[in-house]
Amino acid sequence: MSEIALFEQKEIRRIWQDEKWYFSVVDVVTALTDSADGRKYWNKLKQRLREEGNETVTNCHQFKLPAADGKMRLTDCADTEQLLRIIQSIPSPKAEPFKRWLAAVGAERIREISDPEIAATRAQELYRKKGYPDDWIALRARGIATRAELTNEWKNRGIDESSDYAILTAEISKAAFGMTPSEYKRLKGLKSENLRDHMTTLELLFTELSEAATTEIARNDDAQGMVENTDAARRGGKIAGDARENLERQTGRKVSTPGNYKHLSARRQMKLPEGES
């Protein structure tokens, strides 16, 4: 998920990927230099660093972040270590305060990992500002906490790589909804957006059930490593999948829909298929 953080009232866009924060380099440069055109400053600095053989520039990632016009655009991003190296190349009296700010941001994330409720509370405020309805926000926040509990459980059971998390999540999703997250995103017409930010309340409920069930099964079986946790993921997902199919038989309506939140209206309602609420 991408977010906005503030350093001395300057907006710093950031995104959580691969278990770490990545920050928009242009935003950081603008905040440190008070440049009228942070992008131009960064382009010149980038050229100089390349000429000096600085690998920090070539190692920068590009992620889609919301631009001033509201569109998602590829943006040069750096993690904390890369940013510190870039900051060293910028003559600015704000460098030291910014380093302390980075440390505070890191400490905030550590607190959130140890106490998922902190992250859930912060997420609620973010979604509220974006215009999501309160009932949806409550479910999404609870789902974030459930997901954090599951990933912490995986860490304790020998799952260390984010790629392994993706594999296990895909197994849960296939068992719960009959499709992987990437297939689900295609159903909803999504690209770089977070899938769960575009789920209906029912989709969120079954997602939470599948992950809570997976956590409970992994604990009960004392699952260790990928093989055993993959089995737990499939079984946890199937519990939600069976419940979903039962509901669909009772109502005659599919739980998984192409509806999404890409087009929030002034009334803050979800874009849903006809008859859905």
Side-chain angles (χ1 to χ4, degrees):
M1 177 193 296
S2 61
E3 298 182 3
I4 300 292
L6 290 177
F7 169 71
E8 296 187 351
Q9 304 308 310
K10 297 290 181 64
E11 290 188 350
I12 308 293
R13 290 169 295 170
R14 61 181 180 175
I15 185 169
W16 183 253
Q17 291 283 336
D18 301 324
E19 302 302 309
K20 65 173 72 173
W21 282 121
Y22 286 87
F23 301 84
S24 164
V25 180
V26 169
D27 294 352
V28 172
V29 168
T30 301
L32 290 180
T33 63
D34 290 324
S35 172
D37 191 339
R39 191 173 304 279
K40 184 179 294 185
Y41 190 107
W42 168 233
N43 286 336
K44 290 182 178 179
L45 177 61
K46 184 162 48 173
Q47 182 179 351
R48 176 167 66 80
L49 292 174
R50 281 203 181 104
E51 291 171 352
E52 294 173 355
N54 190 321
E55 295 181 0
T56 301
V57 176
T58 56
N59 290 335
C60 275
H61 292 70
Q62 283 198 325
F63 297 112
K64 284 191 174 182
L65 296 177
D69 60 6
K71 294 182 179 179
M72 301 295 289
R73 301 187 184 280
L74 283 173
T75 306
D76 283 344
C77 295
D79 62 22
T80 301
E81 181 179 355
Q82 292 168 331
L83 263 187
L84 289 173
R85 294 180 65 186
I86 292 171
I87 290 170
Q88 290 174 348
S89 303
I90 301 175
S92 170
K94 297 181 179 180
E96 285 305 318
F98 194 87
K99 291 176 184 178
R100 291 195 295 272
W101 179 83
L102 277 178
V105 169
E108 171 194 7
R109 186 60 189 177
I110 291 172
R111 289 194 300 272
E112 290 178 357
I113 291 173
S114 63
D115 186 356
E117 285 190 17
I118 297 175
T121 299
R122 184 167 59 85
Q124 287 182 33
E125 291 306 313
L126 178 65
Y127 286 121
R128 190 166 288 113
K129 289 177 181 177
K130 289 182 177 181
Y132 286 84
D134 286 343
D135 57 344
W136 185 95
I137 291 171
L139 283 172
R140 183 70 176 97
R142 195 173 67 191
I144 290 172
T146 300
R147 173 68 180 181
E149 185 177 8
L150 173 59
T151 55
N152 285 337
E153 197 67 33
W154 281 339
K155 287 179 184 177
N156 294 334
R157 300 186 176 282
I159 310 300
D160 299 320
E161 301 294 331
S162 59
S163 57
D164 290 337
Y165 291 178
I167 292 170
L168 293 173
T169 300
E171 293 294 341
I172 294 173
S173 181
K174 282 191 293 185
F177 297 104
M179 58 188 126
T180 65
S182 59
E183 292 168 338
Y184 216 141
K185 289 179 77 170
R186 283 197 293 273
L187 171 68
K188 288 183 172 291
L190 306 175
K191 293 181 180 179
S192 61
E193 299 90 344
N194 185 302
L195 172 61
R196 299 182 195 214
D197 286 352
H198 296 275
M199 284 185 166
T200 66
T201 54
L202 276 179
E203 289 170 317
L204 288 175
L205 279 168
F206 284 109
T207 298
E208 183 183 0
L209 173 60
S210 68
E211 296 192 332
T214 298
T215 300
E216 191 64 24
I217 291 171
R219 286 174 179 165
N220 186 69
D221 293 358
D222 192 21
Q224 300 294 329
M226 275 298 289
V227 174
E228 293 181 3
N229 277 285
T230 297
D231 178 65
R234 290 170 179 162
R235 289 157 59 197
K238 188 176 185 301
I239 288 173
D242 290 344
R244 171 185 60 79
E245 290 175 356
N246 187 35
L247 176 62
E248 289 175 343
R249 284 193 296 270
Q250 295 293 325
T251 63
R253 295 162 61 184
K254 291 289 185 181
V255 168
S256 300
T257 77
N260 60 58
Y261 267 105
K262 289 174 68 176
H263 306 291
L264 280 171
S265 69
R267 295 174 61 193
R268 298 181 177 180
Q269 292 179 332
M270 177 179 276
K271 172 190 168 189
L272 292 172
E274 185 176 352
E276 191 129 0
S277 62

